[in-house]
Amino acid sequence: MTRTTPPRPLDVASAFPELRPLARRAVRLHPRRGRPTRSESSVGGPLLWPVDEDWPVCTATHGGWDKPVSLEDVRRRRALLEQAWLRPRPPGQNLLSAEEAALLASLEEGHTRHAGPNALLPVAQLYLRDVPGLTGPEGADVLQVLWCPLDHVETSMPAAHLVWRASADVVDPLDVPPEPADVDRDGSYVPEPCAVHPEVVTEHPSPLELPAGLADRLHEWSSTANSHYQHELSVAPGWKVGGWAPWSFCDPQPMRCTACDAELEPLLTISSGEWDGGSGSWVPVEDRTPHAGPMGLREPSNPPMVLIGRGYSMQIYRCPESSDHPVLENMQ
Ligand SMILES: [Zn+2]
Ligand SMILES: [Zn+2]
C-alpha cells in the first residue's frame, strides 16, 4: 500500500518566495511491518550479499555501562511482550504472569561483553529504482546500511557502515548472515523487518538553518496563520533519504568531510518515529484510521521499533565527492 503525506496546511513558499531556492526533495521511506526479501528494499530486512564476501564487523570501543544482550534475547523479549499485549486482559490483571515476568527479567539481564569483533546488523537496503533521486557510485544500484547495534564512545550511537553494490554482481547470495554477539540491552538498535513505501515530499530548512531575519518573520507569520513552520512546513519526520537536517536541540554545525573538507549532504535519516504530538500533520492519509482491536507491541508511528537516544533521529551524511570518503553521523 502506498503512503500519502497530506498537503502542507499552508503554502509557505508562496508567502516567502525566498524559501523557493532552499526547497529540497526528500523521500520518506514509510517503513511498515512486512516480510521483505533480499531482492526488495527494506528496513531491517535481509541484504543481498555475496557468499564469498566478508561480512563487516566492528572492532571499536563501546560505551555505556549496561551489559549487552543477544539478538535472540531481543527477539524472544519482543515476542513475549507482543503476545501479552495482544491477548484479552480483564481489568486489574497484570500484563504478564509470574513465569513470564521471570522470563522477561532473564531476557533483559544481559551478558558479559564479548571480546572479539561484533558482526554488524542490517538496517536498511535501498534499491535505487525505489528511491527517486538517490544516486550512488558508477554501476551501483543498491545501497546497504548496516550498523553495530551498541553505543559507541564518540557518538553515543550505533556505528553505521554503508555498502554500495551492483546487484547483478551477486551470483551466489549469502543465506544466513553472521549475527552480532552483543546488542544494546533495550534492543533499540534492532530494526524489525519492514517493507518501505517511498514517497517524495518537499522540505525547507529547519528554522535554525535560516537567516535570522527570515526565521523571525516566518515564526511570526506561522503563529498568526495557525501553522507551525518548524513542525509542519520545514522538515519531514521519520525515516527518509535526502532532504534537510532536523536541527532542533542544538545549533547547526558545519558537516564537513574528514577526507576532503567538502560539505557533506544528508543521505539517510533513521528515526525513532514517524510522527509525534507536534508533527501530526505528517501522518499519512492511509494511517489516519485508528487501529481496531489490541495494538500489540509496535507503536503505529514506529514499526521498525528503533529508538535513537530519547526519541531522536540519527542522520547519516555522505561526501558528494566520493563514496569512498567516510560518512558522518549526527543525532538530532
Ligand atoms: Zn561497535
Ligand atoms: Zn570527501
Side-chain angles (χ1 to χ4, degrees):
M1 187 199 262
T2 55
R3 288 293 185 284
T4 316
T5 299
R8 297 299 78 214
L10 291 168
D11 181 2
V12 68
S14 290
F16 295 85
E18 58 267 57
L19 275 176
R20 282 213 179 99
L22 301 175
R24 269 189 200 170
R25 167 168 57 192
V27 182
R28 305 187 77 191
L29 293 177
H30 300 305
R32 297 292 183 272
R33 188 173 213 152
R35 301 186 63 172
T37 68
R38 63 189 172 211
S39 51
E40 294 171 316
S41 294
S42 65
V43 162
L47 304 184
L48 180 71
W49 199 272
V51 75
D52 56 359
E53 183 175 310
D54 285 343
W55 189 260
V57 297
C58 178
T59 53
T61 311
H62 297 109
W65 296 101
D66 281 348
K67 287 178 171 179
V69 297
S70 70
L71 206 48
E72 186 58 20
D73 290 340
V74 174
R75 290 180 179 139
R76 290 180 65 198
R77 175 176 174 270
R78 285 180 178 172
L80 172 73
L81 290 170
E82 172 85 352
Q83 194 188 28
W85 280 111
L86 286 176
R87 70 191 165 208
R89 181 157 47 110
Q93 184 181 309
N94 289 335
L95 178 67
L96 300 178
S97 68
E99 296 76 33
E100 288 171 331
L103 174 58
L104 183 67
S106 77
L107 294 172
E108 292 175 341
E109 191 180 308
H111 57 239
T112 307
R113 240 169 233 176
H114 288 78
N118 206 30
L120 302 194
L121 188 66
V123 175
Q125 172 167 274
L126 299 173
Y127 284 89
L128 304 193
R129 61 175 189 247
D130 295 328
V131 185
L134 177 59
T135 55
E138 181 78 35
D141 65 347
V142 58
L143 167 63
Q144 297 173 323
V145 182
L146 305 92
W147 67 19
C148 173
L150 292 167
D151 281 329
H152 292 73
V153 172
E154 311 77 30
T155 60
S156 302
M157 282 189 292
H161 175 75
L162 270 55
V163 176
W164 294 94
R165 188 180 296 291
S167 58
D169 290 351
V170 185
V171 180
D172 199 0
L174 178 68
D175 278 326
V176 184
E179 292 189 336
D182 294 344
V183 172
D184 83 292
R185 190 166 75 170
D186 300 328
S188 304
Y189 304 145
V190 179
E192 283 287 307
C194 288
V196 296
H197 306 86
E199 181 203 19
V200 174
V201 297
T202 300
E203 291 190 343
H204 299 100
S206 100
L208 291 171
E209 285 203 275
L210 291 171
L214 177 56
D216 290 344
R217 284 188 292 128
L218 268 164
H219 179 72
E220 200 171 307
W221 171 82
S222 66
S223 53
T224 53
N226 202 21
S227 180
H228 197 294
Y229 175 75
Q230 171 150 15
H231 290 309
E232 296 185 325
L233 307 174
S234 61
V235 180
W239 291 63
K240 67 177 183 182
V241 170
W244 282 93
W247 297 107
S248 58
F249 62 75
C250 69
D251 286 340
Q253 45 187 292
M255 304 299 281
R256 299 211 161 266
C257 177
T258 53
C260 74
D261 204 39
E263 191 176 342
L264 300 178
E265 54 187 33
L267 175 60
L268 176 68
T269 301
I270 292 166
S271 168
S272 302
E274 204 170 299
W275 59 84
D276 59 21
S279 53
S281 78
W282 293 97
V283 180
V285 173
E286 295 80 359
D287 295 313
R288 290 185 168 238
T289 313
H291 182 82
M295 282 299 306
L297 190 57
R298 293 193 201 197
E299 295 285 339
S301 62
N302 188 16
M305 296 187 73
V306 167
L307 194 62
I308 304 291
R310 296 180 193 147
Y312 306 134
S313 292
M314 167 176 159
Q315 201 158 34
I316 300 176
Y317 288 77
R318 69 163 165 186
C319 177
E321 301 301 325
S322 170
S323 56
D324 294 331
H325 292 178
V327 295
L328 214 64
E329 296 175 7
N330 186 44
M331 193 198 296
Q332 274 298 309

